[in-house]
Amino acid sequence: MRLSSAIEIISSAIKHNIALAESGTARNSEYVTPMLWGAPGLGKTTAIEDRTKELGCDIRTWILAQHDAGELGGFPVLVDGPDGKEMQRCRPANLPKQGTGVLFLDEFPQAPLANQNIAAQLINERRIGEHKLGEGWTIVCAGNDIKHRAGTNQMPSHVKDRLLHLNVEADTNDALSYFNSKQFNPELTGFIRYQPEYLHKFDPDQKASPTPRSWERVNSVLNWRLPQLEEQQAIAGLVGGPAAAGLAGFLLVYRELPDPDAPFKAPEIAPIPDDPAVLYALMSSLAARVEGKNAKNMMTYLKRVPHKEFVVCCMKDSLSRNPKLAQQKDVAEWLRTEGASLVL
């Protein structure tokens, strides 16, 4: 499943749970608790945090493995009762009572069994001991499977039965849409377009593997403008040697583009490269440079590109970087006539 699809399901669960709370007749069994499964580095946590904020909801994060069971269950205290001293448990500080939001149980399977069993009551009965979770709050969980060897523990069967399980994998369109929305270096997005197999090759036996998360750090390294050797060594330390070597080769192509502004200056006569690597580099360069005033010239140039899959890549990246381009006349016309091939 694409991460974007899983996030849409989680969004629907949050809205469903909020509507239940507003109805005033909600039963615990009607609440839906999504659990997002996937390999390390896919961006699960960031996607959940971003979507929660887009929905206008608060978010509180518990990393269950960072707490001991007594802390999660509430420390015991003595209080005066009708028959003398009685023991009660303190309310966990991060267990919300009011409003609407997401209580995000991150790295859930990494938690020891005792912590997972405490969370099981929270998921099923929406309470920890006598302390209830606010009705407007949705519990969302995320973590890695045992096969990913990320310090994961076996999840008890009764906990599994209480969750909506969503298994996600890396998707090039999802990752590049996010990268471009954050204005990543076009040489990086162009490389992922050119060699998408390097987007996610997580290997638990290696110190560094290419993942969407590690590529985000590579984007920072590219901004350092290191000498070529040191740059490749730093990138290898983030994504491993093969991926770093592949990017290094692409960077040579990108950085030696004859004139990346030629399609804007003379769209009717600017040369169209034959080499796929050069063409991918040029398309990512155009996407990073296009704006309202030069969009018409870019569209004129793209009409001359014989391989339409490169045009689609350029348009995807352009619109991810600047959604307002869709309002520009020539772009809007392309979207109307040929945009059916544009699947973001």
Side-chain angles (χ1 to χ4, degrees):
M1 177 188 297
R2 290 175 60 170
L3 180 57
S4 59
S5 297
I7 292 301
E8 290 304 319
I9 294 172
I10 291 173
S11 296
S12 295
I14 294 171
K15 295 173 185 177
H16 164 80
N17 293 344
I18 291 174
L20 279 178
E22 292 174 347
S23 72
T25 60
R27 300 189 306 272
N28 290 339
S29 60
E30 296 179 287
Y31 283 89
V32 177
T33 302
M35 170 75 201
L36 198 57
W37 295 92
L42 287 178
K44 301 183 294 298
T45 298
T46 299
I48 290 172
E49 291 174 344
D50 288 350
R51 179 54 60 93
T52 302
K53 293 174 184 176
E54 289 172 10
L55 292 173
C57 296
D58 192 8
I59 184 169
R60 298 191 187 182
T61 301
W62 286 9
I63 300 179
L64 295 182
Q66 294 182 357
H67 302 268
D68 62 41
E71 181 184 358
L72 288 174
F75 289 121
V77 293
L78 289 176
V79 298
D80 292 324
D83 299 316
K85 293 293 184 179
E86 296 179 351
M87 187 187 78
Q88 291 185 0
R89 290 190 176 273
C90 297
R91 183 182 183 88
N94 216 20
L95 186 67
K97 290 183 180 180
Q98 306 296 329
T100 60
V102 168
L103 180 59
F104 182 30
L105 308 184
D106 201 6
E107 299 183 11
F108 191 109
Q110 278 86 343
L113 184 60
N115 293 21
Q116 293 192 39
N117 281 323
I118 292 171
Q121 183 188 35
L122 179 60
I123 293 167
N124 195 48
E125 302 176 28
R126 297 180 60 79
R127 65 184 179 89
I128 296 178
E130 65 269 34
H131 301 298
K132 294 183 179 180
L133 175 66
E135 290 187 351
W137 285 77
T138 295
I139 302 167
V140 177
C141 309
N144 314 118
D145 212 334
I146 287 179
K147 65 182 180 181
H148 300 129
R149 290 156 57 188
T152 304
N153 297 305
Q154 184 67 44
M155 181 179 285
S157 59
H158 71 292
V159 179
K160 293 179 184 177
D161 186 57
R162 298 171 182 180
L163 300 169
L164 166 60
H165 299 276
L166 302 169
N167 298 291
V168 297
E169 297 179 350
D171 180 84
T172 304
N173 283 322
D174 278 356
L176 287 174
S177 179
Y178 172 78
F179 290 170
N180 282 305
S181 72
K182 300 299 183 183
Q183 307 301 314
F184 275 30
N185 286 285
E187 51 265 54
L188 177 55
T189 57
F191 171 68
I192 298 299
R193 285 273 184 217
Y194 178 52
Q195 292 192 282
E197 67 272 17
Y198 280 125
L199 172 63
H200 190 271
K201 280 190 172 184
F202 177 72
D203 184 350
D205 292 322
Q206 299 299 320
K207 292 180 179 177
S209 301
T211 67
R213 179 167 57 199
S214 59
W215 284 121
E216 187 161 7
R217 292 166 180 155
V218 167
N219 185 64
S220 298
V221 171
L222 291 175
N223 292 331
W224 299 348
R225 302 305 175 192
L226 293 169
Q228 182 178 344
L229 177 60
E230 286 77 8
E231 181 179 68
Q232 185 172 350
Q233 290 172 331
I235 292 171
L238 290 169
V239 296
L247 176 59
F250 188 83
L251 290 176
L252 290 175
V253 172
Y254 184 91
R255 291 167 179 172
E256 293 178 6
L257 286 173
D259 184 1
D261 289 321
F264 295 118
K265 297 174 182 176
E268 296 87 355
I269 59 173
I272 298 173
D274 293 323
D275 187 324
V278 178
L279 199 49
Y280 272 114
L282 179 60
M283 293 298 106
S284 63
S285 174
L286 293 177
R289 288 174 167 80
V290 67
E291 51 190 26
K293 63 184 180 182
N294 61 16
K296 180 178 180 179
N297 282 2
M298 185 185 78
M299 298 309 298
T300 298
Y301 178 80
L302 292 179
K303 288 178 182 178
R304 297 174 47 226
V305 176
H307 305 293
K308 296 306 175 186
E309 64 269 23
F310 290 98
V311 177
V312 171
C313 289
C314 182
M315 294 304 296
K316 284 182 178 180
D317 290 352
S318 299
L319 292 168
S320 294
R321 285 179 175 271
N322 184 4
K324 291 183 179 180
L325 282 175
Q327 302 171 12
Q328 201 276 340
K329 179 180 177 181
D330 295 89
V331 175
E333 178 62 18
W334 184 90
L335 288 170
R336 187 183 67 82
T337 58
E338 302 182 50
S341 59
L342 189 64
V343 181
L344 292 175

